[in-house]
Amino acid sequence: VWFGHALYPANGVRKKMDIHVGDILEMKKNHPCGSNRWLVTRVGMDFKMRCVGCGHEVMVPRGKAEKNIKKVQHQADAAHGST
């Protein structure tokens, strides 16, 4: 079944997103502090992320985090000033 999205190919096996330590993730929902941007501090089966707004740190299972990502700002992009 094709869902029309790169993460859901026809064979049903999800691809891992290309996320690295130092990337900024813009999530679909806001944190209670009002920010929806998170700094990735650890990558593996879980993501450890720090809220850019208030500094709160959380560990989120990779699948749940990838499902809720709206946009990824890679560390190299941030260094060059592009979005």
Side-chain angles (χ1 to χ4, degrees):
V1 177
W2 177 256
F3 295 101
H5 194 275
L7 290 179
Y8 298 99
N11 63 5
V13 178
R14 287 181 60 163
K15 294 181 186 178
K16 284 186 181 179
M17 293 181 77
D18 188 28
I19 297 173
H20 303 283
V21 173
D23 290 348
I24 301 285
L25 306 179
E26 187 175 318
M27 306 304 274
K28 292 179 182 176
K29 295 184 179 180
N30 288 348
H31 187 247
C33 75
S35 176
N36 69 339
R37 294 168 46 89
W38 294 81
L39 172 67
V40 177
T41 57
R42 180 183 174 279
V43 176
M45 287 299 292
D46 298 317
F47 287 155
K48 186 172 184 181
M49 305 184 300
R50 180 180 306 126
C51 177
V52 173
C54 67
H56 183 74
E57 288 192 351
V58 294
M59 292 281 289
V60 182
R62 184 180 196 109
K64 186 173 182 181
E66 288 181 349
K67 180 180 170 186
N68 292 308
I69 293 171
K70 187 190 315 185
K71 187 167 83 172
V72 178
Q73 182 180 357
H74 295 287
Q75 187 175 18
D77 296 343
H80 296 298
S82 65
T83 54

